[in-house]
Amino acid sequence: MHNRGWRSVYCVTKRDAFRGTAPINLTDRLHQVLRWATGSVEIFFSRNNALFASPRMKFLQRVAYFNVGMYPFTSMFLLVYCFLPAVSLFSGQFIVQSLSVTFLVFLLAITLTLCLLSLLEIKWSGITLHDWWRNEQFWLIGGTSAHPAAVLQGFLKVIAGVDISFTLTSKSATPEDGDDEFADLYVVKWSFLMIPPITIMMVNTIAIAVGVARTMYSPFPQWSKLVGGVFFSFWVLCHLYPFAKGLMGRRGRVPTIVYVWSGLLSIIISLLWVYINPPSGTQDYMKFQFP
């Protein structure tokens, strides 16, 4: 409609204009986010892309629609950021080679800018700090699970013509007398979307243990690198805490298939890292000695 020249007005009514139900358990929520992200990817690869819009589309409208279609692709960088602290702990090297004053100044400026933007966002939306933090946590959960899957499905549809089938999500029904209002919250069903976040948690947890053990038993321990790597890994784990809690369900048990797939991915990542960056002295042991 904007592409054809129609104008829109932002309106907030005293009474909610639309109200409905939404999925509250982890599996259905991830599938809902997957549908939203897949729709954005399809729009990005379609003729309705904001870059190819008509001259009637204003510049800020193009930016807004381009942002709507691009956000699933940022998940690739988010996955790299979640694994970088673990790679730092595995290799014993910090994320940057040297901590200079210029780097620390830039890091402090960027951090303060992000904090100020978050405060402005909280004040503008009128939500509490706790709600904002929960939103940030689920943004990382969806960005490491549903968004990469949406990008993959979008590429398959564009390149190979593979049609995308959606899984219908069950909405929370109105509870009857005596029923638990949050009964659907504890329902855990297996989904392939659970594999990447659990793999990130396992890899970062193992990396923290490896980094602490290496530093403690090293003749020249470098505690500064350990603290930096552990802080960033712990920061990733803090964002994924609601996912781990929701994965347990009411019974506190995780489906076995989740452990199997996550364990296999963790082993593959560890073997690839050993192949790319073998430990010092390994090649000497592999050589044959002849008299």
Side-chain angles (χ1 to χ4, degrees):
M1 295 175 66
H2 285 158
N3 195 26
R4 294 181 179 180
W6 286 76
R7 297 175 60 188
S8 59
V9 178
Y10 186 76
C11 178
V12 179
T13 58
K14 294 182 179 180
R15 183 179 178 181
D16 294 338
F18 302 96
R19 180 179 295 181
T21 57
I24 61 175
N25 66 72
L26 177 62
T27 306
D28 292 336
R29 176 64 175 162
L30 289 179
H31 281 287
Q32 184 185 56
V33 175
L34 175 62
R35 288 206 309 272
W36 294 344
T38 304
S40 297
V41 174
E42 288 181 340
I43 292 175
F44 179 80
F45 287 117
S46 69
R47 60 184 179 86
N48 295 318
N49 191 309
L51 295 177
F52 306 104
S54 65
R56 298 178 179 178
M57 185 81 71
K58 297 180 181 179
F59 175 74
L60 291 181
Q61 289 177 331
R62 293 175 185 268
V63 173
Y65 283 117
F66 187 74
N67 178 56
V68 170
M70 276 295 297
Y71 79 90
F73 295 94
T74 60
S75 60
M76 303 304 171
F77 302 98
L78 185 61
L79 287 172
V80 174
Y81 295 155
C82 290
F83 280 110
L84 268 180
V87 172
S88 173
L89 291 172
F90 278 129
S91 62
Q93 302 292 330
F94 196 59
I95 300 175
V96 295
Q97 294 295 330
S98 59
L99 294 176
S100 61
V101 178
T102 305
F103 171 79
L104 293 176
V105 169
F106 275 111
L107 181 61
L108 180 61
I110 293 174
T111 304
L112 292 177
T113 303
L114 292 176
C115 292
L116 291 176
L117 289 175
S118 300
L119 292 176
L120 291 175
E121 183 180 7
I122 293 173
K123 184 177 180 180
W124 174 79
S125 59
I127 62 175
T128 62
L129 183 62
H130 180 268
D131 294 334
W132 172 82
W133 173 240
R134 284 288 180 261
N135 183 69
E136 290 292 311
Q137 288 177 316
F138 196 82
W139 167 77
L140 189 138
I141 294 171
T144 55
S145 58
H147 294 173
V151 174
L152 179 60
Q153 289 182 355
F155 276 118
L156 289 177
K157 186 174 182 179
V158 173
I159 298 176
V162 178
D163 196 9
I164 302 172
S165 60
F166 292 116
T167 303
L168 296 178
T169 55
S170 59
K171 305 298 188 298
S172 58
T174 303
E176 299 179 356
D177 294 338
D179 293 340
D180 187 1
E181 182 181 0
F182 300 101
D184 293 338
L185 179 64
Y186 307 104
V187 177
V188 180
K189 295 176 290 185
W190 159 247
S191 174
F192 70 95
L193 299 177
M194 298 178 180
I195 297 177
I198 297 181
T199 304
I200 293 174
M201 289 190 298
M202 293 181 64
V203 171
N204 278 276
T205 303
I206 296 173
I208 291 176
V210 171
V212 171
R214 178 192 292 116
T215 305
M216 290 181 61
Y217 293 101
S218 174
F220 304 100
Q222 298 179 347
W223 295 102
S224 59
K225 293 183 178 180
L226 174 66
V227 171
V230 169
F231 171 79
F232 288 112
S233 290
F234 183 74
W235 187 245
V236 173
L237 295 176
C238 285
H239 280 79
L240 292 175
Y241 170 73
F243 174 82
K245 187 176 180 180
L247 192 64
M248 297 296 177
R250 173 173 289 178
R251 299 177 183 178
R253 298 178 59 186
V254 180
T256 306
I257 189 65
V258 173
Y259 283 120
V260 173
W261 281 104
S262 301
L264 289 175
L265 286 176
S266 301
I267 293 173
I268 292 173
I269 293 174
S270 301
L271 292 177
L272 286 175
W273 177 252
V274 172
Y275 177 77
I276 296 173
N277 188 15
S280 59
T282 303
Q283 297 179 356
D284 296 335
Y285 295 132
M286 295 299 292
K287 293 180 180 179
F288 292 98
Q289 297 291 336
F290 292 97

